[in-house]
Amino acid sequence: MYANHMSQLPLTGPPLGRRRLRASIYVRLSNAADEANTSLENMIAECRAVCAAEDFAEAALHIDDGITGGVRDRPEFIAWLDDARHQRADVLVAHHVDRMTREGLNVAAMILDVQEGKDPATGRIIRPPVRLIDTKGLDSNNGVAFRILFLIKAETAREERERAKQRVAGRSLRLRLAGRWPGGTPPFGYEIVPSPDGKGKTLALCQKETDFVRECAGRILIGHKLGRTVRWLNRNGPKPRRAAEWSRATLKQVLTGDHILGRVVSNGVVQRDEKGRPVTPFPAVLDLPTVLALRKVLASDEEYVPRGRHPARLGSKIIECDGCGNYLTVAWRSGRPAPPGKPARRPRGDLITYRCQRRAEGRTCSQPVAVSALPFEAHLEEMYLREFGRSPLVEHKVMMPDDARLAEIEEELALCVARLAQSATPEGFAELQRLQAERDTLSAAPREPTIVKVLTGRTLAEEWHDQDIEGRREMLTDAYAVLRLGPGKRGRHGFDPGRLLVIPAEGEHDPDD
């Protein structure tokens, strides 16, 4: 809206003779500004009125629009100070101290070094000082009184900013406790909707995101690793709120955080009512027993250390060697050497093999085996789809016990013990005994989660074609207890199915069921 500009006056050197002093003007309007704040037009007009009264020549106008005073590297603020540092201006004019900074003494000292022409590292005067004034009567020509007043105003501006932050945080907390959404990005699994009473906004479940959160929770509770679940979510699900893709940390935070329970959290602390129970004004994506189970399962994930690459081929780590029983590994047969002056040839698909590496590792194997990867993998796929492709796809669902009250009591017990540690009162001990008795009563019932099988209406063939390599490997291991490769015959082309010993697994994939 406004263009920062420089006048055609000389830009370097000290003032000469009775030449008009050059003034550099700075104004700032923060993001939080509204109609009640002084406008940019008024601030600029008041600064120019000071210049006119003092007969200054305007050398530059610097405007930071929409940047808080708590940021010290504002581009136009730095340029304004540079006008003094490089002697492009003899006077620095600002609307008010709180427009210069809201960081108090920290930045006030930096501004004083510039005004007095000092080197900030040594404190020595290295250039002529400049005059610093604002539209509210602050003037560096007033000597010691100026310094005291400037520092007081800078600290006052900092304190005003802190109080404003507290007011905003307090208002946000009050709104959330009342079931209102104060603004900003909602947590994953939620969307912002109008409040039912027509007053403001609130949070409702975002069904698409909620389905994926619950699916990820179910996968982890039936034994899937967090990293594998992250890869599945990146391949099939929606993006996270503030990242290009999911990571272990972001998914773990979603699955185990208190917000997923519909609770209100302020500065990492769950807000509670007068009875000590969490305030839950928003609908829960996951119930408390599920979240507690996830926290227990994922607690060990903090010690996770990546170990090599994930299996890259369909038969990786699932095909046994008939000679020693160890898993075959993927290897590349060396091709013909490249002609002189030509780049080395990349291995073709038919040069990729599965082979036993026991002898290469200095161990023993009675009869190491090897097979070309592509025809062997084609046989594995054809065999699986022939034997199981028409079977219905069964999903495993985790059914958590209905022990929400037990989970709440465990939380209340922890809170009660913490309070007793600070102040041991008879009332506190009585509450502790009451909670312990209620917990013991509820704990007497079976509390183990159960896994149920649910028909999906899809076939295993449909699922196979939708899966990646990792998913297909898992489908093979679910269907077959043993896949063992025997020796082949020299000179034979393609894969001989007679080499593969197959033992089906028992369970829902058993063809006899």
Side-chain angles (χ1 to χ4, degrees):
M1 182 176 179
Y2 298 94
N4 299 324
H5 67 274
M6 299 293 295
S7 74
Q8 299 301 316
L9 297 172
L11 299 182
T12 58
L16 302 175
R18 299 179 62 82
R19 175 176 59 79
R20 296 169 67 196
L21 297 180
R22 300 161 298 170
S24 179
I25 299 173
Y26 176 74
V27 295
R28 178 186 63 81
L29 198 66
S30 68
N31 277 322
D34 54 29
E35 291 79 3
N37 296 117
T38 303
S39 67
L40 283 174
E41 293 92 338
N42 288 340
M43 286 191 287
I44 294 171
E46 290 181 25
C47 289
R48 284 175 171 166
V50 170
C51 291
E54 295 282 346
D55 195 29
F56 297 150
E58 183 179 324
L61 171 63
H62 298 284
I63 302 169
D64 280 318
D65 191 358
I67 305 179
T68 176
V71 176
R72 66 178 62 181
D73 59 348
R74 287 161 276 145
E76 295 305 319
F77 172 67
I78 298 300
W80 179 62
L81 295 179
D82 284 343
D83 286 345
R85 291 188 180 106
H86 302 295
Q87 302 182 46
R88 294 193 291 259
D90 311 304
V91 185
L92 296 178
V93 181
H95 183 262
H96 191 268
V97 174
D98 62 11
R99 301 299 91 193
M100 303 182 207
T101 179
R102 284 192 178 273
E103 284 196 270
L105 297 178
N106 307 63
V107 178
M110 179 182 73
I111 296 173
L112 286 176
D113 277 344
V114 174
Q115 182 267 318
E116 295 173 357
K118 291 182 178 179
D119 184 337
T122 64
R124 296 176 181 174
I125 296 177
I126 57 175
R127 59 180 175 273
V130 297
R131 188 176 175 185
L132 175 64
I133 62 176
D134 71 4
T135 63
K136 308 303 178 184
L138 187 75
D139 189 341
S140 61
N141 282 354
N142 292 337
V144 176
F146 154 75
R147 291 177 61 88
I148 296 175
L149 184 60
F150 179 65
L151 295 176
I152 291 175
K153 287 189 173 184
E155 273 299 298
T156 301
R158 183 196 65 81
E159 183 61 25
E160 289 175 350
R161 176 172 178 260
E162 292 302 316
R163 286 200 299 269
K165 288 169 60 177
Q166 293 173 4
R167 287 196 299 272
V168 171
R171 176 179 178 274
S172 172
L173 179 58
R174 289 193 298 274
L175 286 173
R176 286 184 290 148
L177 289 173
R180 302 283 191 270
W181 184 246
T185 304
F188 190 85
Y190 294 90
E191 59 184 351
I192 302 173
V193 298
S195 294
D197 58 6
K199 298 179 181 180
K201 304 289 184 180
T202 188
L203 293 182
L205 297 181
C206 176
Q207 196 59 50
K208 180 180 178 181
E209 295 179 352
T210 298
D211 290 343
F212 277 98
V213 171
R214 293 170 178 169
E215 177 68 20
C216 289
R219 286 172 174 262
I220 289 174
L221 291 178
I222 65 173
H224 289 202
K225 296 296 185 182
L226 179 60
R228 178 185 169 191
T229 306
V230 168
R231 293 192 294 276
W232 174 85
L233 184 57
N234 279 325
R235 189 170 61 251
N236 300 289
K239 300 294 184 183
R241 286 285 184 263
R242 296 184 178 89
E245 63 179 7
W246 290 93
S247 67
R248 303 170 65 88
T250 54
L251 181 56
K252 183 177 179 180
Q253 183 179 14
V254 166
L255 294 176
T256 61
D258 284 286
H259 74 276
I260 213 72
L261 295 165
R263 297 177 174 179
V264 176
V265 181
S266 179
N267 296 324
V269 178
V270 176
Q271 302 301 296
R272 300 177 180 274
D273 60 19
E274 63 278 0
K275 295 183 179 180
R277 296 188 177 184
V279 179
T280 56
F282 306 116
V285 177
L286 300 174
D287 58 32
L288 183 57
T290 299
V291 172
L292 293 179
L294 287 168
R295 289 174 180 174
K296 182 177 180 180
V297 170
L298 295 177
S300 61
D301 186 66
E302 297 176 358
E303 304 174 359
Y304 166 79
V305 178
R307 297 180 180 178
R309 299 183 303 169
H310 298 289
R313 308 289 308 187
L314 182 62
S316 298
K317 299 183 180 180
I318 64 173
I319 309 301
E320 299 178 3
C321 171
D322 188 57
C324 61
N326 284 280
Y327 289 129
L328 304 183
T329 58
V330 178
W332 283 263
R333 291 185 300 183
S334 59
R336 296 178 179 178
K342 298 286 186 179
R345 297 178 180 178
R346 299 181 62 183
R348 303 191 311 271
D350 59 350
L351 297 181
I352 304 174
T353 64
Y354 292 94
R355 61 177 59 245
C356 178
Q357 300 281 18
R358 293 283 288 181
R359 289 187 177 178
E361 296 169 354
R363 303 179 184 180
T364 59
C365 178
S366 61
Q367 194 170 17
V369 298
V371 64
S372 294
L374 295 186
F376 178 60
E377 290 169 352
H379 171 74
L380 287 177
E381 179 173 13
E382 186 276 331
M383 177 182 67
Y384 179 86
L385 294 177
R386 181 181 68 250
E387 296 179 357
F388 302 105
R390 295 183 181 180
S391 300
L393 173 64
V394 177
E395 286 188 348
H396 295 82
K397 298 291 185 180
V398 178
M399 304 297 293
M400 301 300 299
D402 186 16
D403 56 358
R405 179 55 189 152
L406 179 61
E408 291 176 357
I409 289 176
E410 293 291 353
E411 285 193 330
E412 292 175 24
L413 274 169
L415 185 63
C416 184
V417 171
R419 288 173 177 170
L420 285 172
Q422 295 179 350
S423 177
T425 64
E427 294 80 9
F429 281 109
E431 177 67 8
L432 179 63
Q433 290 176 334
R434 184 190 69 79
L435 291 172
Q436 288 175 334
E438 188 176 355
R439 180 192 61 184
D440 293 342
T441 301
L442 292 175
S443 298
R447 295 293 165 185
E448 291 298 323
T450 57
I451 299 177
V452 299
K453 300 172 183 178
V454 180
L455 292 174
T456 64
R458 288 162 50 87
T459 65
L460 290 176
E462 292 172 324
E463 181 70 6
W464 177 276
H465 293 301
D466 287 343
Q467 286 287 349
D468 60 359
I469 293 296
E470 187 174 8
R472 292 181 180 182
R473 286 181 62 260
E474 182 172 302
M475 294 177 74
L476 286 174
T477 55
D478 285 344
Y480 301 107
V482 175
L483 292 171
R484 179 167 294 180
L485 185 68
K489 297 179 180 179
R490 291 185 176 274
R492 183 183 179 91
H493 296 285
F495 176 71
D496 178 9
R499 298 180 58 188
L500 186 63
L501 171 64
V502 178
I503 301 179
E506 296 181 357
E508 64 264 25
H509 291 93
D510 192 337
D512 295 333
D513 288 348

